[in-house]
Amino acid sequence: MSETMTAEIADHPGIRPVADEQDRASRKASSIEMQGLHKRFGRDTVALDGVDLDIRAGEFFTLLGPSGCGKTTLLRILAGLEEPDDGTLVVGGKNVTEVPPHQRSVNTVFQSYALFPHLSVRDNLAFGLKMRGLPAAERNAKVDEIAEFIKLGDLVERRVDQLSGGQRQRIALARALVCEPDVLLLDEPLSALDAGLRSQLQVELLRVQKRLGMTFVFVTHDQDEAMVMSDRIAVLNGGNIQQVGAPREVYERPLNAFVARFMGHDNLYPISARQGDRLTTSLGELTAEDAGAGDLLLIRPETLDLLPGEVAGDNHLTATVGERLYRGSHAEFRLEIGDTTLQATVNNRGRHLPEVGETVTVVVAPEDLVTLSE
Ligand code: ADP
Ligand code: MG
């Protein structure tokens, strides 16, 4: 990978704190270092199989993977709710492997809001502060501040069971934030919400994190959500980390077939022979630039161009349109090349959109080809 690409990838495209919030942003954050974390349940279930992971202070870090891959177990170990069989955990430079949960500056937001439904928003928000013995006046001041911050100001006197799902999840978040932890853990906090509310809360959550500058460790099984939110992502499978990187890196340069498929890539082709940059695959011969040494070729659907008819040229493949899904902003094609299929996504810029059955030429850009290993 070129240096410019690495720099570009490292730079999160999302939301940054504004200038007058910078000092708030630098106030509270802890780095997290995990080394050799193992966790087994019973005799047969290996939930974590030796996790080594460094999370930077102030980072929005996401654990991404399918159900059962160990995300919640890892989060529970960070919170101190679960003890690892082996390995060490350092938070903010301090070894906390054996430190009980209430002595860690870590708070958790769960998928099920875990609020007290019959209590007011204010009493819910104040609960943790009360447990810590904070006097009523200070409690109230802090609750008002956080409610204002997270735009719940006019709801504080309402009972939780009178609120919508989205409002409840914001309160769960506010309740975790009000104690000002150094690290906030979020276990699929948006999974239960419908799509519209979910994307709205994604943006809100990201803004809050950038404004507070806190370290967030966020769990999701949804790769789109992970890409939108994260500074960096760790992809897990079977208790093992498969890849750690910025969203673009994980999406555009997956290290193995598991990561590629999990990020939604279907265009994977075994490479049967190779001569320099020239690769032989079931699609035909293709020239790749800087593709890496793996034995599987990944072709991202959005990097392909379609020309009408048969056009000769290097990296030009003749295909038949098997299926076309028109989606307004773009169209998705299933193309047939001999016995092999290829997915292509084409932006709708008022150009010709080929019909099913039509012959087209697929133009493959050599610089967009990457290889990986099973
Ligand atoms: P995820 O959150 O990624 O869905 P989990 O961390 O909850 O995954 O679970 C990882 C594995 O450990 C799964 O196989 C799960 O069934 C198992 N597991 C988790 N918690 C327990 C438990 N308390 N007792 C037994 N098995 C568990
Ligand atoms: Mg889970």
Side-chain angles (χ1 to χ4, degrees):
M1 201 184 307
S2 72
E3 262 176 47
T4 41
M5 183 162 182
T6 315
E8 211 184 341
I9 281 171
D11 192 28
H12 189 275
I15 298 156
R16 301 229 151 262
V18 295
D20 61 359
E21 282 163 348
Q22 291 287 359
D23 89 323
R24 181 162 201 162
S26 59
R27 199 181 60 190
K28 274 229 160 197
S30 283
S31 62
I32 303 171
E33 290 140 55
M34 302 168 222
Q35 243 172 34
L37 291 178
H38 281 266
K39 183 70 188 178
R40 196 182 267 275
F41 290 107
R43 254 203 279 154
D44 300 326
T45 309
V46 178
L48 297 178
D49 192 18
V51 168
D52 300 314
L53 188 60
D54 285 352
I55 297 176
R56 298 169 191 145
E59 192 166 35
F60 198 119
F61 194 93
T62 297
L63 304 171
L64 172 68
S67 177
C69 73
K71 305 181 296 294
T72 294
T73 302
L74 191 52
L75 221 57
R76 287 175 59 82
I77 287 175
L78 294 181
L81 301 170
E82 205 77 71
E83 218 181 296
D85 300 329
D86 203 1
T88 54
L89 172 64
V90 174
V91 177
K94 185 174 154 219
N95 188 333
V96 297
T97 319
E98 317 245 300
V99 173
H102 61 276
Q103 285 171 22
R104 300 186 185 191
S105 187
V106 168
N107 239 332
T108 312
V109 181
F110 299 98
Q111 180 185 345
S112 57
Y113 321 116
L115 298 167
F116 304 110
H118 54 283
L119 293 186
S120 69
V121 171
R122 177 178 297 285
D123 289 343
N124 269 278
L125 294 183
F127 186 78
L129 301 171
K130 203 169 176 179
M131 296 296 284
R132 287 172 190 214
L134 216 68
E138 276 181 59
R139 276 200 317 259
N140 275 324
K142 272 193 186 294
V143 166
D144 287 335
E145 189 196 3
I146 198 77
E148 197 53 46
F149 183 66
I150 202 155
K151 300 193 190 77
L152 289 169
D154 42 356
L155 294 179
V156 281
E157 310 309 336
R158 287 241 211 124
R159 273 168 56 142
V160 161
D161 55 9
Q162 298 168 336
L163 302 175
S164 70
Q167 287 168 332
R168 286 182 208 202
Q169 196 48 285
R170 280 182 20 227
I171 292 156
L173 177 65
R175 190 180 58 174
L177 289 171
V178 77
C179 294
E180 300 182 4
D182 294 344
V183 175
L184 192 67
L185 309 174
L186 305 105
D187 196 353
E188 312 223 18
L190 309 178
S191 300
L193 306 173
D194 66 55
L197 195 54
R198 187 171 179 168
S199 59
Q200 188 193 328
L201 279 186
Q202 285 172 351
V203 175
E204 243 174 73
L205 194 55
L206 194 48
R207 283 206 185 115
V208 166
Q209 192 266 341
K210 293 301 170 217
R211 273 154 77 183
L212 294 177
M214 231 176 241
T215 309
F216 274 36
V217 185
F218 182 84
V219 162
T220 183
H221 61 266
D222 178 330
Q223 83 278 13
D224 290 324
E225 183 163 272
M227 284 193 281
V228 168
M229 311 288 285
S230 316
D231 293 313
R232 288 190 307 150
I233 298 170
V235 183
L236 274 96
N237 186 34
N240 285 296
I241 290 182
Q242 305 292 310
Q243 184 168 1
V244 180
R248 283 194 68 185
E249 203 174 338
V250 174
Y251 181 79
E252 296 178 20
R253 299 254 160 181
L255 287 181
N256 62 37
F258 176 83
V259 175
R261 294 203 177 94
F262 200 78
M263 296 312 287
H265 298 304
D266 291 322
N267 290 339
L268 292 170
Y269 305 94
I271 298 167
S272 53
R274 210 190 240 269
Q275 255 193 325
D277 285 347
R278 201 82 181 139
L279 313 177
T280 308
T281 73
S282 50
L283 293 170
E285 297 231 327
L286 290 167
T287 301
E289 216 172 80
D290 197 22
D295 50 14
L296 272 176
L297 179 67
L298 165 64
I299 305 180
R300 285 191 287 123
E302 66 275 18
T303 65
L304 298 172
D305 255 326
L306 301 185
L307 306 175
E310 257 185 78
V311 184
D314 198 30
N315 278 14
H316 284 34
L317 305 169
T318 305
T320 308
V321 176
E323 192 174 63
R324 184 180 86 175
L325 300 176
Y326 178 72
R327 295 200 184 271
S329 67
H330 64 280
E332 293 162 13
F333 293 88
R334 181 168 53 78
L335 304 166
E336 274 144 24
I337 299 175
D339 291 337
T340 309
T341 63
L342 176 67
Q343 312 284 337
T345 304
V346 175
N347 277 331
N348 184 1
R349 295 200 298 250
R351 61 179 144 204
H352 174 68
L353 285 181
E355 305 283 346
V356 171
E358 210 176 305
T359 299
V360 293
T361 297
V362 186
V363 182
V364 182
E367 66 273 18
D368 287 323
L369 293 176
V370 299
T371 68
L372 42 98
S373 301
E374 197 59 59

